[in-house]
Amino acid sequence: MRSYSPDLTPPWKRSAPVPEVPAEPGLVVEEVGTGFCGAVIRCEAGTVTLEDRFGKHRVFPMEPRGFLLEGKAVTLVRPAAGPARPTRTASGSVAVPGARARVARAGRIYVEGRHDAELVERVWGDDLRIEGVVVEYLEGVDDLPAIVAGFGPGPDARLGVLVDHLVAGSKESRIAASVRDPHVLVVGHPYIDVWEAVKPASVGIPAWPAVPRGQDWKTGVCRALGWPENTGAAWQHILSRVRSYKDLEPELLGRVEELIDFVTAPEEPHS
């Protein structure tokens, strides 16, 4: 007969039980030993992989009381088997399964052309629908001051504008500088065209070619790369190679995120 040995540890020294939490992809936790904080991206036999906001990955054992969730100790366990579903949007945000699109805001984001709009939709479309942000294209920014005036920006109707080739001394920089309104944010990337904002490696080329002045840039790119001189077809090929934010240059990523944050900022109180 097995003898019974009572637990003589004083109550104040016993570890209180902690909840077991399934390590579902997208769950954000902190590892207690290192302080590493990140979202779960993978759970395998006895280990969990976290990704922090800089894209760094770390693998940790799923030990009892090994993680903090919203500041409280938990034990991570393998999630129950079920159908796989996307855990991240193309922009890198945590996906919200079943989330409904928000009614469109009064604020808008304007981009220069159709290709810019299609690229923004490709990567940020899920986020924009949840936030209720509509993206429209301008076909150039020569008339930007008049367009801004016609929009009528205000505290509850902010306007963000993404400009191509916004570099010092350019025509675009002078036009952007002429827009002075606290409810308008004009930002840009340094590329001649948004094509260049797609990483060459993602398209399968060593680099975007230099096109001599005086030539149509897109046509010149097609010639230099040996592609048929059909810029519409070339763009569809480029766009098809963009699967997530990882296929885009940081100079574009940061600017679009900045515009989304600006347009979706809480409304200012009316005086």
Side-chain angles (χ1 to χ4, degrees), residues 96 98-108 124-135 155-158 260-268:
V96 184
R100 294 183 178 181
R102 175 175 172 159
V103 174
R105 296 174 181 265
R108 292 287 188 274
W124 288 275
D126 289 340
D127 302 346
L128 293 170
R129 279 182 284 278
I130 289 176
E131 295 289 352
V133 178
V134 175
V135 175
D156 57 351
R158 298 185 180 198
I260 294 174
D261 288 345
F262 178 78
V263 173
T264 59
E267 296 179 5
E268 300 172 3

Side-chain angles (χ1 to χ4, degrees), residues 242-261:
V242 176
R243 298 174 179 82
S244 76
Y245 71 98
K246 296 179 181 179
D247 296 306
L248 301 182
E249 299 287 1
E251 290 82 356
L252 177 67
L253 290 172
R255 302 296 73 75
V256 175
E257 296 284 355
E258 190 176 353
L259 290 177
I260 294 174
D261 288 345

